[in-house]
Amino acid sequence: MTPLSRTLKDLSTGAKDWRLWSALAKEDLAQRYRRTLIGVAWVAITFGLFIGAKVVVFGNIMQVPMGEYSLYVTLGFLAWQFISASVTDGCGVFANSENWIKGVNTPLSLYIYQAIARNFITLFYSALAGLLIILLMRHPFTFKTLMVIPALFVYLLNAVWFSMVFGIVTARFRDILHLVTTSMRIIFFLTPILWMPTQLGPGIRKYTDYNPFTHYLAIFRDPVLYDQYAWRSWLIVLSITAVGWLIGLIVFSKFRKRIVFWL
Amino acid sequence: MAHLRAKNIHLSYPLIDRVKRTQTAEIAGTTDVGAQLNNRHQKSLQVVNDVSFSLEDGDRLAIIGPNGAGKSSLLNVLAGIYEPTQGILESEGSVSAVFNIGLGMRREATGYRNIEIRCLMAGLNKTDIQRVTRDVEGFSGLGEFLHLPVKLYSRGMALRLNFALVTAMRADIVLMDEWIGAGDKEFRAKVIERMHDFVGSASIVVLTSHNTKLLQRVCNYALWMERGHVVKYGDAHSIIEEYQTETAKKG
């Protein structure tokens, strides 16, 4: 078997173990909220309160209608939470599963799916709070709203390649995790989540366009909020996804069998 | 029909933590343990060097040698956890690696949940999981405690759960790093009996242990390793005998 076909086999046999990785993901969450009264409902409450506080504080500063701004923040932050968690968890995906990886012969992609499933469940609960906000604002749903489904699917695809690359790099160079975590905190402020590009002067505005996260958010937010497909952002996101997968397959094929020695 | 064949297996372990090693060339090679560590710039450690053997149904292989001879590394290769740097490993049949019986236990989760997760990890289907669960319930004697989080268990209770679970999952090929035998007095007799059942039901067993008497009793083949190399391979009884005389001389 060539290294590439081994990689594909790892990815497919790992995916088939869905009962296992979903159980592990649920267990991760259960552990986080063990002995709490309301359990994972905390996810939704945290999200709702966070949005509320942000809208109250920033909504008055921004010169945007309050209704539009609260939807803008809700949708943007919903997507950002998942992206940001996928990025940081993607780095730790192998390092955090050291015991299993050193103890049993399982496909390594299993741990990638586990992390993604965990973040997806969290996203689901946050989305319930998000949906409530959207309904309260009486924002109309259109056919284009359905574009959030392919957008989420693309998020999942990106989480996989990112974990393949950065899970391996982090297993070898542990500084990467800290570097990435810090970077994501900064990127949060550099990405249009709390502010809108239109509020910036034209000189600076063009730089937000160079930020890939701008486009990842746009494909999720724009169809719901502005009834626009955001084709240009889609094109950019899909190109990054394709290149990312190419790099992911190469890196994973080359270093997959070495990961265990780096843990 | 299960089989397990190793052809010229090599394994080198990358050294990535750049620990300051003060060892000089003069004292290198005089250590009692481990593969050769020659100089501080060494990037990898050759832990298994050209190991070959062939096991068929009914065979029991003992791997013997001093600490750091490469026994556990070889077992890890056989389990598929380490991919060999060179050489071919051929096997047929389900493999169960018993290296750490408390592997992946989630202290916050209940005994039942842990059974389920470990079974899924071993790739068991629904009916097998049910069978294993019944078996663990029966053997461990933990009763209602299986509904409680494992972190509330005493050491002895956790051992009962882990042992019952590991030995409930039967496989064609069993790899063991040290024989398992512990527990309180009353449990110990049950453990011994169950270990024999567990090992007896496997068609191939590969085992390391410092208990040479046990190895002589259980195994028909022995592989004597030192510093990653094979010193001798063949009939268990005579090789273990020879190994014992050799170590007695050194000691």
Side-chain angles (χ1 to χ4, degrees):
Chain A
M1 274 216 288
T2 63
L4 179 65
S5 62
R6 276 172 207 260
T7 294
L8 297 175
K9 190 160 179 259
D10 188 299
L11 288 169
S12 65
T13 49
K16 274 185 219 139
D17 269 342
W18 63 271
R19 295 207 319 147
L20 176 57
W21 49 257
S22 60
L24 289 170
K26 277 187 219 153
E27 207 48 54
D28 286 341
L29 288 172
Q31 198 157 324
R32 203 177 291 170
Y33 298 100
R34 183 97 49 194
R35 293 186 53 211
T36 59
L37 211 55
I38 54 170
V40 277
W42 271 114
V43 176
I45 292 171
T46 309
F47 182 81
L49 292 176
F50 225 65
I51 297 294
K54 277 174 184 149
V55 170
V56 168
V57 175
F58 295 101
N60 286 308
I61 307 171
M62 309 279 165
Q63 280 128 2
V64 188
M66 199 63 126
E68 184 191 342
Y69 183 69
S70 43
L71 288 173
Y72 182 85
V73 175
T74 302
L75 291 164
F77 194 61
L78 198 58
W80 174 259
Q81 246 191 352
F82 180 76
I83 293 171
S84 161
S86 301
V87 166
T88 42
D89 286 0
C91 291
V93 86
F94 302 125
N96 295 338
S97 300
E98 178 176 349
N99 286 339
W100 282 119
I101 294 174
K102 281 183 169 173
V104 234
N105 177 19
T106 49
L108 288 169
S109 61
L110 185 78
Y111 309 103
I112 297 180
Y113 300 134
Q114 175 191 349
I116 295 174
R118 185 175 62 227
N119 292 328
F120 203 74
I121 296 170
T122 313
L123 172 69
F124 174 79
Y125 284 100
S126 300
L128 290 181
L131 193 63
L132 189 70
I133 297 171
I134 296 171
L135 290 174
L136 284 175
M137 295 289 157
R138 295 169 199 277
H139 185 74
F141 290 98
T142 68
F143 178 70
K144 284 178 194 155
T145 311
L146 290 175
M147 285 302 283
V148 299
I149 294 166
L152 287 175
F153 180 69
V154 168
Y155 284 4
L156 296 179
L157 281 181
N158 278 279
V160 178
W161 78 254
F162 188 88
S163 307
M164 281 160 82
V165 177
F166 281 82
I168 288 180
V169 175
T170 307
R172 177 65 182 80
F173 305 100
R174 298 299 168 99
D175 301 75
I176 300 296
L177 176 66
H178 302 283
L179 180 69
V180 168
T181 315
T182 309
S183 307
M184 287 310 277
R185 283 197 200 123
I186 298 166
I187 293 169
F188 173 71
F189 292 105
L190 299 179
T191 306
I193 302 165
L194 294 177
W195 48 269
M196 296 175 172
T198 46
Q199 294 169 307
L200 297 176
I204 316 175
R205 197 186 304 162
K206 67 169 188 245
Y207 290 105
T208 56
D209 203 46
Y210 297 147
N211 176 356
F213 292 103
T214 303
H215 303 288
Y216 276 87
L217 291 181
I219 61 166
F220 181 81
R221 186 175 52 203
D222 290 6
V224 185
L225 189 56
Y226 300 122
D227 205 28
Q228 284 167 0
Y229 285 118
W231 289 128
R232 198 173 145 271
S233 292
W234 263 105
L235 193 68
I236 294 167
V237 168
L238 288 178
S239 314
I240 297 173
T241 310
V243 174
W245 263 90
L246 190 68
I247 298 171
L249 290 175
I250 293 170
V251 170
F252 204 67
S253 302
K254 198 158 164 52
F255 298 107
R256 188 184 51 87
K257 65 175 191 175
R258 288 217 187 159
I259 294 173
V260 67
F261 298 115
W262 294 336
L263 296 175
Chain B
M1 292 299 262
H3 68 246
L4 179 65
R5 292 175 198 137
K7 280 181 201 153
N8 311 97
I9 298 281
H10 291 254
L11 178 74
S12 65
Y13 205 109
L15 296 174
I16 54 165
D17 291 315
R18 311 301 292 174
V19 195
K20 255 198 188 155
R21 275 182 264 125
T22 50
Q23 206 178 31
T24 62
E26 275 164 52
I27 60 164
T30 60
T31 49
D32 287 336
V33 295
Q36 248 139 42
L37 201 53
N38 293 320
N39 63 69
R40 68 175 85 181
H41 300 296
Q42 197 173 331
K43 287 214 172 72
S44 69
L45 202 56
Q46 189 75 29
V47 285
V48 175
N49 216 317
D50 201 15
V51 171
S52 303
F53 58 79
S54 172
L55 303 173
E56 307 296 327
D57 255 332
D59 284 340
R60 269 98 179 95
L61 173 68
I63 305 178
I64 50 172
N67 289 329
K71 308 187 292 287
S72 301
S73 295
L74 178 60
L75 276 178
N76 271 305
V77 171
L78 300 181
I81 294 166
Y82 294 164
E83 210 163 291
T85 324
Q86 261 182 66
I88 301 164
L89 186 70
E90 269 178 21
S91 71
E92 201 182 295
S94 55
V95 179
S96 170
V98 186
F99 299 156
N100 165 14
I101 68 163
L103 176 74
M105 194 51 79
R106 289 190 172 234
R107 289 173 40 77
E108 296 279 342
T110 65
Y112 278 119
R113 185 67 167 157
N114 273 299
I115 295 171
E116 191 192 350
I117 289 177
R118 288 270 288 273
C119 286
L120 287 170
M121 215 26 133
L124 302 191
N125 60 28
K126 232 177 183 160
T127 39
D128 281 333
I129 294 176
Q130 273 168 0
R131 184 185 53 75
V132 168
T133 308
R134 294 291 96 79
D135 191 353
V136 173
E137 280 170 348
F139 185 80
S140 70
L142 287 170
E144 287 299 302
F145 277 97
L146 287 172
H147 289 290
L148 292 182
V150 169
K151 70 172 177 185
L152 298 176
Y153 291 17
S154 70
R155 217 180 237 277
M157 287 163 72
L159 180 84
R160 278 169 181 256
L161 173 61
N162 287 331
F163 178 78
L165 184 51
V166 161
T167 48
M169 291 189 270
R170 301 292 160 101
D172 300 327
I173 302 173
V174 168
L175 311 170
M176 263 197 296
D177 204 349
E178 274 300 329
W179 189 264
I180 319 163
D184 52 47
K185 231 177 194 171
E186 145 211 28
F187 193 54
R188 201 171 299 158
K190 281 174 78 184
V191 166
I192 292 170
E193 193 193 319
R194 186 155 160 119
M195 270 309 280
H196 281 284
D197 268 7
F198 173 61
V199 168
S201 72
S203 71
I204 292 173
V205 178
V206 182
L207 170 67
T208 71
S209 175
H210 290 284
N211 182 346
T212 45
K213 282 225 166 55
L214 177 112
L215 290 176
Q216 273 181 322
R217 198 171 64 235
V218 175
C219 302
N220 60 335
Y221 283 111
L223 181 75
W224 176 0
M225 291 179 78
E226 237 158 80
R227 292 175 194 279
H229 292 268
V230 178
V231 179
K232 261 181 185 144
Y233 170 60
D235 171 62
H237 197 85
S238 58
I239 287 181
I240 293 172
E241 202 78 5
E242 208 177 321
Y243 172 70
Q244 275 176 310
T245 0
E246 189 75 17
T247 38
K249 250 193 272 169
K250 272 190 199 162

